[in-house]
Amino acid sequence: MTTESLEIDDGLYSRQRYVLGDTAMQKMAKSCVFLSGMGGLGVEIAKNLVLAGIKALTIHDTKKCQAWDLGTNFFLCEDDVVNERNRAEAVLHRIAELNPYVQVSSSSAPLDETTDLSFLEKYQCVVLTEIKLTLQKKINNFCHSHCPPIKFISADVHGIWSRLFCDFGDEFEVSDTTGEEPKEIFISNITQANPGIVTCLESHPHKLETGQFLTFREIHGMTGLNGSVQQITVLSPFSFSVGDTTKLDPYLHGGIAVQVKTPKTFCFEPLESQIKHPRCLIADFSKPEAPLEIHLAMLALDQFQENYNRKPNIRCQQDSDELLKLTVSINETLEEKPEVNADIVHWLSWTAQGFLPPLAAAVGGVASQEVLKAVTGKFSPLCQWLYLEAADTVESLGNPGHEEFLPRGDRYDAIRACIGNTLCQKLQNLNIFLVGCGAIGCEMLKNFALLGVGTGREKGMVTVTDPDLIEKSNLNRQFLFRPHHIQKPKSYTAAEATLKINPQLKIDAHLNKVCPATESIYSDEFYTKQDIIITALDNVEARRYVDSRCLANLRPLLDSGTMGTKGHTEIIVPQLTESYNSHRDPPEEEIPFCTLKSFPAAIEHTIQWARDKFESSFSHKPSLFNKFWQAYPSAEDVLQKIQNGQSLEGCFQVIKLLSRRPRIWSQCVELARLKFEKYFNHKALQLLHCFPLETRLKDGSLFWQSPKRPPSPIKFDLNEPLHLSFLQSAAKLYATVYCIPFSEKDLSVNSLMDILSEVKIEEFKPSNKVVQTDETARKPDHVPVSSEDERNAVFQLEEALSSNKAAKSDLQMTVLSFEKDDDSNGHIDFITAASNLRAKMYSIEPADRFKTKRIAGKIIPAIATSTAAVSGLVALEMIKVAGGYPFDAYKNCFLNLAIPIIVFTETSEVRKTEIRNGISFTIWDRWTVHGKEDFTLSDFINAVKVGYFHFLHLISTLKSRVSV
């Protein structure tokens, strides 16, 4: 993306474009951000902002690198510590190489009470980390009073506690508060009343909220509503009211209601005011009082630093008591006075000098998203405080000695100050199996490196596997990869990059897919050697498979995923929680076969139809063709077998393909032109022949009414860009599968016109085929072959043989695998043209190439901010699993950074099934009985008796009921 043209590099940003949209992306490309503090939190924020693609980032720091920083900052190395480099200067080039479109500069100038803040005027957003509260207030006042306001964000991590504050000025307008696609609702009725009541189609709830705005189109009868904008009141899941409709004509049929996005203004108060009456986002509703209690304790910490110019010493009781006194004193100055939570104050004091990298990853992800909101006006901002904590990681530690937390002069001192040396060693001795090395996988490897996972001298190993190669679109989120890594294996490359963060890490990278086919590699023995399995996968079925292996081998599983700004984490611990397979997401709603084939009502239907046509014409049929001729390499032999009455599976379709095989470029163009006529002209005429416009159902209602749309046949016109695009892309793909060369000149309009002038288009002749209208009917697996088809096949094959068109070279086609990210292959071009022509035929709003690519390619929108946040939360749970914590310590999380919302919930406790007399079992229980081929029921019962004597009374019950 260049700031001159503001053209978006789709190859790099495609997944993020689906999250933010082009308007927000272009605003980002004009935005400059100042970020102070290059500690662990600052570098997290810097990484995410540069990956996102802002115009310019200035990173600021006055501190020099220390050994301590190696466990918190993933872009520092030992050489930076040895040479005592400035932290901002040390990480500058490593941050800059994340994205060549972003200008990254560093500053080490003093930033204190005497600094002239006018230099901040060139920035749209200022982010402060590791800055004293008094200076934060001064900078915030400068930003808030500036015209226009400079957006202000401050964030800090103190041990196991964190704080985030946002101030975007008195009035901050947001263009889109949620980022969700506007809803479209098919209408079945509208009353003539005040207010008018709109009813949507059965089994299609509208999912609207009172106060939202809708506009209307395609209403028959009550046409006065078309084009109007109405604020609605929800009456039920299937109805809502609008304005007065009594003076409008009666409703007849049809109509679509479309949600209208309206801007919203958010009002912010400066830091000085918000300190006294904070507005906090509650993340854990089991502890709704916690944000105010942490707010109070952190204000006391700010005062402690002002008083003593340092943080409280690690595990120092005297400093802890002093902090508690300050907390009590400051509480008197707040408008809303929370209870003073002594436990929070003590743990804040004891760990404040420490730093927990996963917590920084989580907070850094949220803070980065707030920066993007500040410079784009996209999504609802945080109003105005967020407190995230990792108190669960220490509550189960008991009362270890104070020396457990003291520094030892290595890279893990900051982490040790938070969780103690014993737990640090447990992390170092972990065997981790990481399945997937995409965006979450890269972030997890970073967290492993900082925490020292798999670095033990005698124990510990990280095994990572991913079969994929690196693509350009990965570089926008998978921060361990660079442009020169494209087409290299993800796992090998990520392993090498992770060792640069922490050379002590032991990592074994594989290129395997985890599935039943690789069970010889990832055997039960392999799983039992792993302490924790972590999945970083998009594929639900792959997750379910890994979960089944963890369940069988009693291994903990940490699962997570993101989609755009949304993310989730799920923690599965043997004997304590339910498994991933214990719940099922509702199945993805399938488009009925008859809707796809004949009655599309939305652009998603036409895109899926076009994708199906691509698969059928350029993948499935060529594959079937090749397999058939591999089984029967001689056309003469096939002819003889058919004439002898043998049934050869697929032969009639294969012979049809052979007889119609194009051999030169002009025949590919002719084939594409004939397909156009079939798909977009004859199909419409056939449907209207079967169901004329005046057709009525048994109840007297019109057949062609919402959601069914009557088609209009399209007359081919080479001067129409859409028609030309279909012809060119289809002809190119046919030439590719039939190995026919062509040039750019062949694709020119003049060349195509010359070819088309010789093409004969047959007039439409109605068919007697039955059109499927049953929405529950499925696509038939096999099309029955008639005797006429058999005769035609014999004739076509005889003709091919006699004209020498069944040679060995004729019995091979190229199979195309759909690839959405290669713009040169024409796959998306074909699907876009075919989909939009079908949409035009059915009067459906078309979709641009960008939207078509997302739907046809089933692209999951993605952005680095939510990925970083989710991986941090997973790593926090990993610490608890390593520590063997009880059930109550674990938390699942759902977040949506766009709203924003972060919700922590308890994990699902494993369900116990009672048998009798107090005996129960769960999904984690196993009775293993080894038998032989002649194993009988008596043998089984005896084996259970011997191995599981405590179930003897159950066995006796079985014996009384079963005849052996």
Side-chain angles (χ1 to χ4, degrees), residues 1-7:
M1 191 186 326
T2 61
T3 53
E4 291 80 16
S5 66
L6 294 183
E7 290 183 2

Side-chain angles (χ1 to χ4, degrees), residues 509-527:
H510 299 177
L511 301 180
N512 303 314
K513 185 178 182 179
V514 179
C515 62
T518 56
E519 282 191 13
S520 60
I521 302 169
Y522 306 119
S523 61
D524 287 344
E525 183 181 1
F526 172 85
Y527 273 91

Side-chain angles (χ1 to χ4, degrees), residues 716-747:
F716 181 80
D717 183 355
L718 195 58
N719 294 315
E720 284 283 342
L722 198 54
H723 300 200
L724 174 63
S725 177
F726 176 84
L727 191 76
Q728 289 174 327
S729 59
K732 283 170 63 177
L733 293 175
Y734 282 123
T736 303
V737 297
Y738 289 111
C739 304
I740 296 170
F742 62 91
S743 65
E744 284 300 313
K745 184 181 178 182
D746 291 329
L747 293 166

Side-chain angles (χ1 to χ4, degrees), residues 324-368:
L324 184 59
K325 290 178 185 177
L326 289 172
T327 305
V328 172
S329 174
I330 290 172
N331 197 25
E332 296 303 313
T333 67
L334 302 184
E335 294 183 10
E336 185 177 345
K337 297 177 174 56
E339 289 286 327
V340 174
N341 189 318
D343 285 340
I344 289 176
V345 175
H346 289 315
W347 276 110
L348 175 60
S349 176
W350 293 339
T351 66
Q353 284 197 21
F355 189 92
L356 206 51
L359 182 59
V363 179
V366 180
S368 307

Side-chain angles (χ1 to χ4, degrees), residues 65-73 76 81 87 311 314 351-355 405-418 450:
C65 299
Q66 304 176 43
W68 184 282
D69 293 314
L70 296 176
T72 64
N73 187 319
L76 292 180
V81 176
R87 292 197 300 183
K311 290 183 178 181
I314 297 170
T351 66
Q353 284 197 21
F355 189 92
F405 300 85
L406 295 181
R408 304 193 177 195
D410 61 20
R411 62 167 62 227
Y412 307 115
D413 278 344
I415 303 155
R416 188 175 288 112
C418 298
L450 293 176

Side-chain angles (χ1 to χ4, degrees), residues 396 423 426 878-885 890:
S396 298
L423 192 45
K426 287 182 178 180
M878 178 188 70
I879 294 172
K880 301 175 194 175
V881 175
Y885 286 11
Y890 301 107

Side-chain angles (χ1 to χ4, degrees), residues 35-39 58-66 69 73 75-77 79-95 105-111:
L35 170 59
S36 181
M38 278 297 104
T58 300
I59 54 174
H60 168 266
D61 204 306
T62 58
K63 297 177 182 176
K64 292 182 178 180
C65 299
Q66 304 176 43
D69 293 314
N73 187 319
F75 277 151
L76 292 180
C77 63
D79 187 62
D80 298 318
V81 176
V82 171
N83 289 286
E84 296 186 340
R85 293 191 180 99
N86 172 274
R87 292 197 300 183
E89 293 171 1
V91 300
L92 174 63
H93 75 279
R94 294 166 192 142
I95 292 173
S105 59
S106 67
S107 169
S108 56
L111 183 61

Side-chain angles (χ1 to χ4, degrees), residues 27 74 81 179 198 208 310 330 537 578 682 812 854 914:
K27 286 182 178 179
F74 48 84
V81 176
V198 180
L208 297 169
R310 64 174 176 85
I330 290 172
L537 300 165
E578 290 288 337
H682 290 186
Q812 180 69 34
R854 174 178 64 83
E914 295 290 333

